[in-house]
Amino acid sequence: MTVIKVLLVDDEELIRFGLRAVLDAQPDLDVVGEAADGAEALGLVRTLRPDVVLMDVRMPGLDGLAATRAILRGPDRPPKILVVTTFEADDYVYEALRAGADGFLLKRSRPAEVVQAVRLVAAGESLLFPASIRRLAAARAGRDPADGGAVARAGLTAREGEVLRLMARGLSNAEVGDRLHLGVQTVKTHVSSLLGKLGARDRTQAVIAAYESGFVTPESDSGQP
């Protein structure tokens, strides 16, 4: 059995205590360390080499956003990062996802959801909540506009564009394949190709790029899950 090493980063000791209790109760999860701020987290990532970091975004000193950016810029293969937040409609969360965080969890999440999220991102999947991404994108509309031509310049094929729109609705590879009558491996090939063209680290970054470029809009997709 492969054991997933987890680092907890939060300035509230009670939050860290609760997360440790939930995660250490699982035979395949091991909390290898705790940090109370981003600066401490950077050192522990280098020494403990966790597989997954649960990162609070709002902390004194070096906050979780800056720490996420620093970890993902590092020369070594970075761990997966799950942002832990109180409020989903938070600019810090949005910027962390843009920087390459693999998803986010609300502090009110149920224990089973926390466990599932850690396992999911450790396996290389993004923890994407399309409704939340829509709300984040809508909240930022008109403020500090991003480069709206990113998707257009990427030169996606028509099929890749279809896959990206379905990804923005939160569909899995299997669900995308069912919708487009494609095999899962073919969908994975399209996803890999469009990520490369967009320069996106994962599905979450690709979906954010789709919203920021206007390729997908919160209004046009508001009826989707």
Side-chain angles (χ1 to χ4, degrees), residues 10 24 30 83 102 110:
D10 198 295
D24 275 347
D30 179 24
V83 173
D102 298 274
R110 296 189 299 271

Side-chain angles (χ1 to χ4, degrees), residues 127-193:
L127 191 66
L128 179 60
F129 298 100
S132 296
I133 298 295
R134 275 199 301 274
R135 285 192 290 270
L136 287 165
R140 290 176 59 94
R143 292 191 294 119
D144 301 322
D147 181 1
V151 173
R153 287 198 308 274
L156 302 185
T157 66
R159 180 64 84 188
E160 289 166 352
E162 291 176 314
V163 171
L164 180 56
R165 287 190 176 93
L166 293 175
M167 284 169 51
R169 298 177 184 177
L171 273 64
S172 67
N173 287 341
E175 290 167 335
V176 171
D178 288 343
R179 186 71 60 89
L180 299 179
H181 307 291
L182 299 173
V184 172
Q185 189 56 51
T186 300
V187 174
K188 288 181 179 179
T189 299
H190 286 310
V191 171
S192 178
S193 177

Side-chain angles (χ1 to χ4, degrees), residues 6 12 15 25 35-36 78-79 81 84 97 112 136 168 174 187 191 212:
V6 183
E12 296 185 46
I15 296 294
I81 297 179
V84 182
L97 294 175
L136 287 165
V187 174
V191 171
E212 290 188 339

Side-chain angles (χ1 to χ4, degrees), residues 17-203:
F17 180 85
L19 288 172
R20 177 181 282 274
V22 167
L23 297 175
D24 275 347
Q26 304 300 315
D28 61 330
L29 304 179
D30 179 24
V31 176
V32 295
E34 299 181 20
D37 59 45
E40 186 180 3
L42 296 182
L44 291 179
V45 165
R46 288 191 294 268
T47 58
L48 299 176
R49 304 189 67 83
D51 302 301
V52 178
V53 177
L54 268 61
M55 179 77 75
D56 187 20
V57 286
R58 292 185 177 272
M59 296 180 289
L62 190 71
D63 63 31
L65 173 57
T68 294
R69 287 172 171 160
I71 290 170
L72 296 177
R73 282 198 307 265
D76 299 324
R77 181 178 179 182
K80 304 296 184 180
I81 297 179
L82 272 174
V83 173
V84 182
T85 181
T86 303
F87 306 106
E88 58 186 336
D90 187 328
D91 279 352
Y92 278 76
V93 173
Y94 191 84
E95 291 299 335
L97 294 175
R98 288 185 71 197
D102 298 274
F104 70 91
L105 279 172
L106 296 175
K107 290 187 177 181
R108 63 176 182 270
S109 297
R110 296 189 299 271
E113 293 173 331
V114 176
V115 170
Q116 181 184 28
V118 171
R119 288 173 176 158
L120 187 67
V121 299
E125 299 290 337
S126 296
L127 191 66
L128 179 60
F129 298 100
S132 296
I133 298 295
R134 275 199 301 274
R135 285 192 290 270
L136 287 165
R140 290 176 59 94
R143 292 191 294 119
D144 301 322
D147 181 1
V151 173
R153 287 198 308 274
L156 302 185
T157 66
R159 180 64 84 188
E160 289 166 352
E162 291 176 314
V163 171
L164 180 56
R165 287 190 176 93
L166 293 175
M167 284 169 51
R169 298 177 184 177
L171 273 64
S172 67
N173 287 341
E175 290 167 335
V176 171
D178 288 343
R179 186 71 60 89
L180 299 179
H181 307 291
L182 299 173
V184 172
Q185 189 56 51
T186 300
V187 174
K188 288 181 179 179
T189 299
H190 286 310
V191 171
S192 178
S193 177
L194 71 88
L195 290 180
K197 290 179 178 180
L198 290 170
R201 181 173 180 259
D202 55 29
R203 295 166 72 100

Side-chain angles (χ1 to χ4, degrees), residues 94 130 133-134 137 168 206-218 221:
Y94 191 84
I133 298 295
R134 275 199 301 274
V207 169
I208 288 174
Y211 279 115
E212 290 188 339
S213 68
F215 185 77
V216 176
T217 65
D221 199 33

